[in-house]
Amino acid sequence: MNARPLFLLLLVGVVGLCSADAGGVDGLVLIGELNCVACHAATENQAAWMSPKLAPRLEDVGTRVGPEWLQRHLASPQGTMSGSTMPDVLHGMPDVERALASEALTHHLLSLAPGKFRRVLPDRAAVARGENLYHRVGCVACHAPQNRSPSGMISSPLPSMVEKWSFEGLRLFLQDPLATRPSGRMPGMNLTDIEAADIAHYLLRETRVPATLEVAQYRGRIRSLEDLDSGEVSRTGPATHFTLEAMGRDRGYALRFAGWLQVDRPGEYTFRLSATGASRLSVRREWLVGEDSWERESVDAEGSLQLDPGWHPIVVDYVQRGSKDPALKVEWEGPGVAREVIPAARMRSARDQVGESAAFIVDAAKAARGRALYQELNCATCHESKPPTVPLPSLAALHAENGCLAEKPAANAPDYLLDATQRDALRAALTALKRPDLAAPSARQRVAHTLASLQCTACHVRDGAGGVAPERDAFFTSNGEDLGDEGRLPPRLDGVGDRLRPAWLGNVLATGASVRSYSNTRMPQFGADNIRHLTGLFVALDRREQSLPPAPDAPDVQRAAGRRMIGTDGLSCIACHRFNRQPAQALQIIDLTTATERLNEDWFRRFLLDPARFHPGTRMPSFWPDGVSPLTSLLGGDTDRQHAALWTYLAEGSRAKFPEGLSRQSLELVVGGEAVVYRGKLWEAGFRAVAVGYPGQLNAAFDAEEMRFALLWRGRFLNAGPHWGVQGMGSIRPLGTNVVIFPHGPALAVLQDALTPWPVESSKALGMKFRGYQLDGLKQPVLLYSFHDLGIEDFLSPTHNAGKTGLRRTVKFTGSPPGGLHLRLATGRLMSVGDGSWRLDDSLTLRVRGGADAFVRGESGRGELLVPISSTDKNPRLEVEYVW
């Protein structure tokens, strides 16, 4: 099958480009998708009608793409992926020569990659999460559902995922598709690291790699070994033998090992299980040992059974119980087998043999031939956007019946496997583009062309066209209750330039800014360069600015009136709308405090008069039918004055005084233009925590008992509600994401040398004392504490640099530090990234300035980052930057 499925999807519901102007949207979109202007020079007027789709970048293709798949794809792009827009540039060669050419090109491309292609055993728990994400966040707006595919569903094709992709390559691609494919046809979906990994595991769920055993780790409370039969699996992975370190050195083990055991001789085999904890062993689906170990919290027993030669299923469960250090040992003996730990060579994770994939070795001679062929075929013109060494033939000089547009392209022309309909569409577009009186596309035409190229109309309706297709409707869902289609379907684009302020509209297009947290489908990220022009076009086409009557009321009068209307003693807007992140009484619709940031005021007022006019089917009632207010005693019952009052009140944003009747069950501490400080019990920061929410959604928590920074996180701050319930002993945890936990114990200690272990004594026993804090002009606390006679000031402030956010920590010492004093900054997996910086657990970068050179000591994965404090300097100072 040829490229027609992708081509058709691009045209679903698209209208608005007049064929009399430039040949119709179909041919123009196809010219862009095939990137015709990479080989044919367009005039400025012609280029304005096109949106070229750049080819993928290839510098690290070897880490992403399997060598066998790559070679087949180069030999026959449509053969490996139906609907591919990659042309067949080798079609003119005889079969043998074509095979040699694709092999040479493969060796050349893989010689460019810094890493190696690697498949991994799918994590079954991640596969389940990834299936849900794939069918919920918007992937199926363009791609076919993987769990069911209604007949007739037209979708952007996927290749054979297992054959093509490495796990790490796919994960990185899903997280940032634009890094590889900059044209935005595959947009980013605002996936977190974990979400991208989950979807990658799901799409690669059929991957098979050799492994000794598969181990599953369980979450939640386990009350018996039988709970593992139906418990929630948090992750799975390979294990080299029955080892409790298979999933890392986590406390709270709850594991199930499963695999197949090879038996050579028939006879009776005895299995011995030793474990400090609850553990049981099954062979051939029969529990032999340890079923009663839950009550005894340990097991040291054996069981026997008759086995025939062949492969038999074996399962070992383990749940940590009791106070002893976790331990597990599995042995066997039988005919020809002396008692021993079951060797890895006797087990495998799958019943059927899975062979090792042969490592691809680049042949220098073949790579050189491929490099020459890559240049000869002008591959860099598309894949590297490099101008050719010779002038390009003009678009106007193209002959509609020859070259790549011919029914059977010549050997020296790329073959896109176009059908008759596609060739006709291209010829019509080219004919129109060659007209001497060709005008620039109108704003409406440019919008229609962009919406077609980026497939926006697969989700959104504009000018009566586009929208979610019936066969995909079920995949657009809401996480809220009783919100109807308005809560699950992407918003209409009609009048969007009139509704939204340009800054907010640009933010939505460029960064996916959203206030519809109840919609599971996410706004894709197409790349600012590909979509920023839409802001001005939408405004130019839609804006109908209207003057507003002057408001006679003072601002404080307006705010008071607006507050009353929002609350339960007015129109009770908070029954359905969230307010400053606080939950509504019933539905949980858009937060009202974002209104003035997002909307044009004149549109806001028109909407209040007749919501259904702008959102057909909306559940938003008309409180001012025919312009008549129901609150006749408020501001004289004047609708204009009441609307102005609402706007003035909501313009306070996060500073607005809460309306009457707002639920206080969630006492979320919301950070505005100055820091917010919370004192009290906090998860991982102890009973004497000092938590600070900084502007820019950056947060930290200091443990005033141990004198250490305990937590950093981004996003929302804290919900103090539990502090006011259950006698102030409720559990309070960070509300945001990217939470970084720092080690318990004192942050300062005197070490005799670099090998001296970090002390386990309390901070108080080591001579440390907390002395409170002082607030600066932005309410940011300067933490004060001491180490014996040495005074310490510890201060954090937000930083924004090169698009990255973080916190800068300044530590000032007053006095002369004792010899050997060290500051411990972090523990975990630490990797130096140069310039005095370390990457912690692949989540946070720490950069140290001042003091002696910081260093890492300890085992891989559990290192300590220490900074020596100079004893020769009086009043030393150092800075640490924490950047996500």
Side-chain angles (χ1 to χ4, degrees):
M1 196 171 185
N2 62 16
R4 189 162 176 75
L6 175 61
F7 172 48
L8 284 177
L9 179 62
L10 289 166
L11 306 182
V12 171
V14 178
V15 296
L17 277 177
C18 176
S19 60
D21 288 327
V25 67
D26 43 7
L28 287 169
V29 170
L30 196 51
I31 285 175
E33 294 309 295
L34 303 181
N35 196 16
C36 300
V37 293
C39 296
H40 302 283
T43 66
E44 186 176 349
N45 271 3
Q46 291 170 338
W49 286 92
M50 303 173 201
S51 179
K53 173 188 172 184
L54 304 181
R57 292 168 176 156
L58 299 178
E59 55 266 23
D60 60 348
V61 67
T63 62
R64 305 192 308 266
V65 177
E68 298 86 357
W69 186 92
L70 179 59
Q71 185 168 334
R72 292 199 307 273
H73 185 64
L74 292 169
S76 176
Q78 292 286 338
T80 53
M81 192 172 78
S82 175
S84 173
T85 55
M86 162 88 175
D88 186 347
V89 295
L90 306 179
H91 69 95
M93 298 180 179
D95 290 347
V96 173
E97 188 177 341
R98 174 198 285 250
L100 291 174
S102 61
E103 181 186 26
L105 285 168
T106 300
H107 280 266
H108 164 59
L109 293 175
L110 297 192
S111 71
L112 306 176
K116 297 294 183 182
F117 179 86
R118 178 174 170 266
R119 293 186 172 94
V120 301
L121 190 69
D123 180 337
R124 290 187 288 107
V127 167
R129 296 192 300 268
E131 179 177 13
N132 179 46
L133 282 167
Y134 178 86
H135 295 96
R136 178 168 57 88
V137 300
C139 304
V140 295
C142 296
H143 298 293
Q146 300 286 299
N147 51 14
R148 65 180 178 87
S149 184
S151 60
M153 181 179 283
I154 300 171
S155 302
S156 290
L158 291 174
S160 172
M161 301 298 287
V162 171
E163 293 181 4
K164 177 179 178 180
W165 286 99
S166 70
F167 169 76
E168 188 63 10
L170 182 56
R171 182 188 72 80
L172 293 173
F173 175 71
L174 291 171
Q175 209 164 4
D176 185 12
L178 297 170
T180 303
R181 300 183 183 180
S183 296
R185 270 45 168 195
M186 167 65 186
M189 298 302 295
N190 288 312
L191 300 173
T192 66
D193 292 354
I194 293 175
E195 288 175 335
D198 287 349
I199 295 179
H201 275 295
Y202 172 62
L203 294 175
L204 300 175
R205 60 193 178 277
E206 302 298 333
T207 301
R208 301 187 68 202
V209 296
T212 304
L213 293 164
E214 182 185 69
V215 57
Q217 185 173 39
Y218 292 77
R219 64 159 54 97
R221 186 175 181 182
I222 304 297
R223 296 178 175 85
S224 69
L225 287 170
E226 288 73 20
D227 281 356
L228 300 188
D229 296 331
S230 58
E232 182 182 1
V233 177
S234 62
R235 55 178 174 157
T236 69
T240 56
H241 56 287
F242 297 106
T243 170
L244 297 182
E245 296 186 0
M247 285 294 183
R249 300 181 62 86
D250 296 339
R251 301 292 292 178
Y253 299 104
L255 305 174
R256 168 168 287 179
F257 299 86
W260 293 81
L261 174 67
Q262 185 182 32
V263 171
D264 290 337
R265 300 182 186 178
E268 183 177 79
Y269 287 80
T270 299
F271 293 83
R272 187 172 190 88
L273 176 65
S274 303
T276 56
S279 185
R280 60 181 179 175
L281 178 147
S282 163
V283 177
R284 209 176 55 192
R285 299 183 176 85
E286 176 183 343
W287 293 112
L288 292 180
V289 182
E291 285 190 281
D292 62 347
S293 61
W294 188 268
E295 290 75 17
R296 294 187 288 107
E297 298 184 354
S298 67
V299 60
D300 189 2
E302 62 184 36
S304 302
L305 81 168
Q306 293 286 326
L307 294 175
D308 294 326
W311 290 89
H312 302 276
I314 182 169
V315 174
V316 173
D317 288 346
Y318 180 88
V319 177
Q320 182 182 340
R321 298 271 288 162
S323 58
K324 294 182 179 180
D325 289 337
L328 175 67
K329 186 177 183 181
V330 181
E331 299 173 292
W332 76 330
E333 61 181 317
V337 178
R339 178 174 169 177
E340 64 177 352
V341 172
I342 301 178
R346 286 283 181 178
M347 297 184 288
R348 64 190 187 203
S349 62
R351 181 171 189 172
D352 298 330
Q353 180 68 37
V354 179
E356 290 277 0
S357 298
F360 186 90
I361 299 175
V362 173
D363 183 293
K366 293 178 180 177
R369 165 64 182 142
R371 189 177 306 112
L373 192 57
Y374 184 88
Q375 296 172 351
E376 179 184 332
L377 295 171
N378 292 321
C379 301
T381 302
C382 289
H383 288 283
E384 301 172 36
S385 299
K386 286 186 176 180
T389 55
V390 296
L392 292 175
S394 71
L395 205 62
L398 280 179
H399 193 287
E401 303 296 333
N402 296 335
C404 53
L405 290 183
E407 185 174 352
K408 292 184 178 180
N412 61 349
D415 187 358
Y416 290 93
L417 290 180
L418 300 170
D419 63 21
T421 301
Q422 293 167 332
R423 289 195 300 273
D424 288 344
L426 285 167
R427 289 164 182 157
L430 288 171
T431 298
L433 288 171
K434 295 176 185 179
R435 285 168 39 188
D437 60 343
L438 178 68
S442 68
R444 185 167 181 264
Q445 290 166 331
R446 291 184 65 198
V447 166
H449 195 175
T450 300
L451 298 187
S453 297
L454 300 181
Q455 304 186 42
C456 305
T457 48
C459 293
H460 297 281
V461 175
R462 184 173 170 89
D463 294 334
V468 176
E471 61 269 21
R472 283 181 159 84
D473 183 82
F475 297 103
F476 288 78
T477 59
S478 169
N479 55 50
E481 296 182 3
D482 197 31
L483 297 180
D485 287 350
E486 198 173 9
R488 67 182 186 88
L489 296 179
R492 301 171 66 91
L493 298 182
D494 294 299
V496 68
D498 192 34
R499 177 169 73 248
L500 299 181
R501 300 178 67 175
W504 178 261
L505 178 55
N507 205 13
V508 171
L509 295 172
T511 67
S514 174
V515 292
R516 291 178 170 83
S517 59
Y518 44 79
S519 174
N520 289 325
T521 305
R522 302 179 186 178
M523 171 66 184
Q525 294 304 284
F526 297 97
D529 290 343
N530 301 315
I531 208 165
R532 65 161 54 95
H533 62 282
L534 282 180
T535 299
L537 293 174
F538 280 139
V539 172
L541 288 170
D542 300 341
R543 190 70 176 108
R544 300 293 182 268
E545 186 172 3
Q546 296 181 7
S547 60
L548 301 174
D553 306 297
D556 57 340
V557 173
Q558 288 182 312
R559 284 190 285 270
R563 179 172 178 264
R564 178 182 166 187
M565 282 185 279
I566 294 292
T568 51
D569 56 347
L571 302 175
S572 199
C573 305
I574 56 172
C576 297
H577 286 277
R578 294 172 63 87
F579 190 93
N580 204 1
R581 301 180 186 171
Q582 302 303 312
Q585 296 169 341
L587 307 181
Q588 304 298 327
I589 305 175
I590 294 176
D591 194 317
L592 289 172
T593 56
T594 68
T596 60
E597 178 187 6
R598 298 182 295 109
L599 306 175
N600 289 310
E601 184 179 0
D602 60 319
W603 184 92
F604 171 78
R605 296 202 192 186
R606 280 179 269 143
F607 174 76
L608 292 178
L609 290 173
D610 188 6
R613 171 190 162 199
F614 298 92
H615 296 315
T618 183
R619 301 190 178 196
M620 170 80 174
S622 176
F623 289 110
W624 290 268
D626 298 321
V628 178
S629 171
L631 303 175
T632 56
S633 62
L634 184 66
L635 300 180
D638 187 289
T639 295
D640 286 332
R641 291 171 64 191
Q642 290 177 1
H643 288 177
L646 275 174
W647 186 264
T648 300
Y649 171 60
L650 294 177
E652 293 287 289
S654 62
R655 301 184 302 276
K657 188 176 180 181
F658 280 9
E660 290 297 325
L662 188 66
S663 171
R664 298 303 180 95
Q665 292 179 353
S666 173
L667 295 177
E668 181 173 345
L669 303 178
V670 180
V671 181
E674 58 186 18
V676 174
V677 178
Y678 162 85
R679 295 281 311 265
K681 181 184 177 184
L682 181 64
W683 173 78
E684 284 291 336
F687 284 87
R688 299 181 64 194
V690 180
V692 189
Y694 296 90
Q697 296 200 319
L698 299 163
N699 314 282
F702 182 81
D703 183 345
E705 182 69 26
E706 293 187 334
M707 251 65 70
R708 68 184 180 99
F709 271 102
L711 299 168
L712 297 181
W713 72 98
R714 293 195 295 180
R716 295 162 61 194
F717 185 38
L718 298 173
N719 172 22
H723 181 79
W724 300 103
V726 284
Q727 290 77 48
M729 297 299 289
S731 175
I732 298 179
R733 300 171 68 98
L735 292 178
T737 59
N738 304 112
V739 180
V740 179
I741 304 173
F742 293 107
H744 284 274
L748 285 167
V750 173
L751 307 180
Q752 292 183 356
D753 53 47
L755 299 178
T756 303
W758 198 259
V760 296
E761 292 88 351
S762 68
S763 296
K764 183 177 180 180
L766 293 175
M768 299 185 73
K769 185 175 182 180
F770 186 61
R771 300 187 180 277
Y773 59 83
Q774 299 174 343
L775 299 178
D776 69 1
L778 294 177
K779 302 292 181 66
Q780 299 174 144
V782 180
L783 300 162
L784 308 173
Y785 52 101
S786 60
F787 185 85
H788 297 290
D789 296 330
L790 184 67
I792 303 163
E793 295 182 10
D794 213 335
F795 176 70
L796 283 176
S797 61
T799 63
H800 303 277
N801 186 20
K804 295 185 177 181
T805 60
L807 289 162
R808 177 179 290 112
R809 179 183 181 186
T810 303
V811 186
K812 298 179 182 178
F813 299 89
T814 303
S816 297
L821 183 65
H822 289 72
L823 172 65
R824 183 169 66 171
L825 291 177
T827 61
R829 189 173 69 254
L830 289 151
M831 178 182 296
S832 174
V833 291
D835 195 28
S837 300
W838 283 265
R839 189 72 176 163
L840 171 63
D841 294 333
D842 200 28
S843 62
L844 185 75
T845 298
L846 294 84
R847 183 180 182 184
V848 184
R849 291 289 179 269
D853 291 339
F855 64 94
V856 173
R857 67 177 189 176
E859 300 176 358
S860 174
R862 296 297 301 171
E864 291 181 306
L865 178 58
L866 305 181
V867 184
I869 309 301
S870 173
S871 60
T872 59
D873 294 339
K874 189 173 182 179
N875 304 329
R877 164 185 173 144
L878 63 89
E879 287 187 354
V880 184
E881 287 189 0
Y882 303 92
V883 179
W884 279 271

